């Protein structure tokens, strides 16, 4: 299952119509995430419109940032429904062989861990444009996040921040082909790019990053910098806080709720990163 799809277009420029030419589109398909719990059985948790790829990371990241699972040891296996057990390396790498792709993924849990079933009573229907659709209240979005410690660490230079968009852009392979994807990227405190993910849904791109780090047992990400290609929404801030990320930078604008949540949990939030300028909304002590 590819993340891009060929298309034929007719490009119109002013009053002239050119001949039909080939183009490439970003694929958008539904992914149903199912959770298999020993005893109660398995049930659908979420349906999200996503760009195929890194689906195991997406599922694990979503379940973690929603507060449903807390440790990778809770996961027995992740597999596509009806397509057999996933490759042995899937839990750590998020990968599947090409012939095992599907649109329903199942996360099987180990028997020795308890799950808060009340969290599963919420309606988790998400779309590529709005990751918080179906959630009943703002209070429910906190999902047990803890306030970040060490409000002055790590400290990064403002000149380094200005370099991050270019480093992200150089790694956006699918965006180069389609021009139609959001991206999230994780950098270390020295500005070295560690991981980047693209998706039609901005919240999916971040869940894929957090899921990959979660399955590798590398959380919390308390020395990392997160860069998102679009605006800073409330949900993206919530996911960053859940993963312990201290610094989040957005190319676009933050929402009022995003700023409120960042301030409440001690996250450094910057936005409008354009050229040589950006705005710091919260956590100013981490940026010099």
């Amino acid at each position: 299952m590819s993340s891009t799809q060929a298309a034929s277009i007719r490009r119109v420029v002013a009053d002239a119509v050119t001949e039909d030419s080939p183009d490439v589109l970003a694929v958008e398909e539904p992914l149903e995430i199912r959770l298999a719990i020993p005893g109660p059985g398995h049930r659908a948790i979420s349906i999200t419109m996503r760009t195929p790829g890194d689906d195991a990371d997406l599922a694990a990241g979503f379940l973690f940032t929603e507060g449903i699972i807390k440790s990778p040891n809770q996961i027995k296996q992740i597999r596509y429904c009806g397509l057999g057990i996933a490759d042995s390396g899937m839990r750590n790498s998020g990968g599947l062989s090409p012939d095992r792709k599907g649109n329903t993924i199942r996360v099987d849990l180990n028997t020795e861990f308890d799950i808060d079933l009340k969290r599963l009573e919420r309606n988790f229907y998400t779309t590529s444009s709005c990751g918080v659709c179906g959630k009943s209240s703002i209070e429910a979005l906190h999902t047990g996040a803890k306030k970040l410690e060490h409000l002055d660490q790590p400290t990064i230079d403002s000149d380094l921040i200005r370099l991050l968009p270019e480093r992200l852009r150089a790694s956006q392979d699918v965006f180069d082909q389609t021009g139609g994807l959001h991206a999230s990227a994780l950098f270390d405190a020295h500005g070295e790019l560690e991981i980047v993910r693209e998706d039609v849904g901005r919240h999916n791109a971040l869940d894929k990053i957090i899921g990959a780090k979660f399955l590798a047992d590398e959380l919390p990400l308390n020395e990392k910098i997160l860069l998102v290609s679009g605006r800073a929404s409330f949900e993206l801030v919530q996911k960053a806080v859940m993963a312990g990320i201290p610094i989040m930078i957005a190319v676009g604008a933050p929402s009022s709720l995003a700023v409120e949540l960042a301030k409440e949990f001690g996250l450094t939030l910057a936005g409008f990163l354009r050229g040589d300028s950006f705005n710091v909304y919260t956590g100013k002590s981490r940026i010099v």
Side-chain angles (χ1 to χ4, degrees):
M1 189 180 297
S2 174
S3 58
T4 61
Q5 178 178 307
S8 178
I9 65 169
R10 176 167 294 174
R11 191 179 305 277
V12 179
V13 181
D15 295 330
V17 179
T18 66
E19 295 182 357
D20 292 351
S21 60
D23 197 11
V24 179
L25 306 177
V27 173
E28 182 177 25
E29 292 189 356
L31 178 70
E32 179 181 310
I33 300 173
R34 301 188 68 85
L35 190 64
I37 307 171
H42 62 88
R43 64 182 72 184
I45 300 299
S46 170
I47 299 175
T48 185
M49 299 301 295
R50 98 303 189 193
T51 300
D54 303 297
D55 287 339
D57 293 340
L58 172 57
F62 175 82
L63 293 173
F64 171 75
T65 57
E66 291 295 335
I68 297 173
I69 59 176
K70 298 180 180 180
S71 166
N73 294 325
Q74 291 178 273
I75 299 176
K76 180 179 181 180
Q77 66 183 15
I78 304 176
R79 62 178 178 176
Y80 287 105
C81 291
L83 297 176
I85 297 176
D87 297 335
S88 59
M90 181 179 181
R91 221 192 75 178
N92 293 324
S93 68
L96 280 179
S97 59
D99 60 340
R100 290 184 174 181
K101 298 295 184 181
N103 282 333
T104 301
I105 198 166
R106 174 172 148 175
V107 181
D108 292 355
L109 301 182
N110 288 311
T111 57
E112 59 267 30
F113 294 97
D114 293 328
I115 296 296
D116 184 0
L117 296 180
K118 290 183 179 181
R119 290 192 180 276
L120 306 184
E121 295 175 358
R122 289 162 50 189
N123 176 23
F124 286 123
Y125 183 83
T126 56
T127 72
S128 61
S129 60
C130 178
V132 297
C133 296
K135 295 181 179 178
S136 58
S137 67
I138 294 298
E139 290 76 13
L141 291 174
H142 284 70
T143 62
K146 297 180 180 179
K147 187 171 183 178
L148 297 171
E149 299 178 354
H150 310 297
L151 300 183
D152 57 349
Q153 297 179 12
T155 300
I156 61 173
D157 193 280
S158 58
D159 289 336
L160 184 148
I161 292 177
R162 298 184 183 98
L163 299 176
L164 299 184
E166 181 180 352
R167 295 177 183 179
L168 167 61
R169 186 71 181 81
S171 300
Q172 288 186 261
D173 297 333
V174 181
F175 183 87
D176 286 340
Q177 301 176 60
T178 67
L181 289 179
H182 294 285
S184 290
L186 201 65
F187 298 85
D188 66 18
H190 303 290
E192 295 297 323
L193 178 63
E194 289 193 3
I195 182 175
V196 59
R197 291 292 182 264
E198 297 176 283
D199 200 279
V200 289
R202 58 172 59 89
H203 58 289
N204 290 336
L206 182 51
D207 272 339
K208 288 178 178 180
I209 283 181
I210 294 175
K213 292 295 187 178
F214 173 79
L215 292 175
D217 202 16
E218 295 180 6
L219 298 185
L221 302 171
N222 51 20
E223 295 290 331
K224 307 302 180 184
I225 305 167
L226 172 65
L227 176 67
V228 296
S229 61
R231 63 184 179 87
S233 66
F234 176 92
E235 187 186 34
L236 293 186
V237 171
Q238 177 246 340
K239 290 179 182 295
V241 169
M242 286 292 290
I245 298 172
I247 300 173
M248 176 176 171
I249 302 165
V251 173
S255 69
S256 61
L257 282 178
V259 173
E260 289 177 22
L261 187 67
K263 183 177 181 180
E264 178 181 349
F265 285 92
L267 174 76
T268 295
L269 178 62
F272 282 115
L273 178 54
R274 312 276 176 82
D276 292 333
S277 67
F278 58 90
N279 299 336
V280 183
Y281 295 89
T282 63
K284 301 177 180 63
S285 59
R286 293 193 181 100
I287 298 178
V288 296

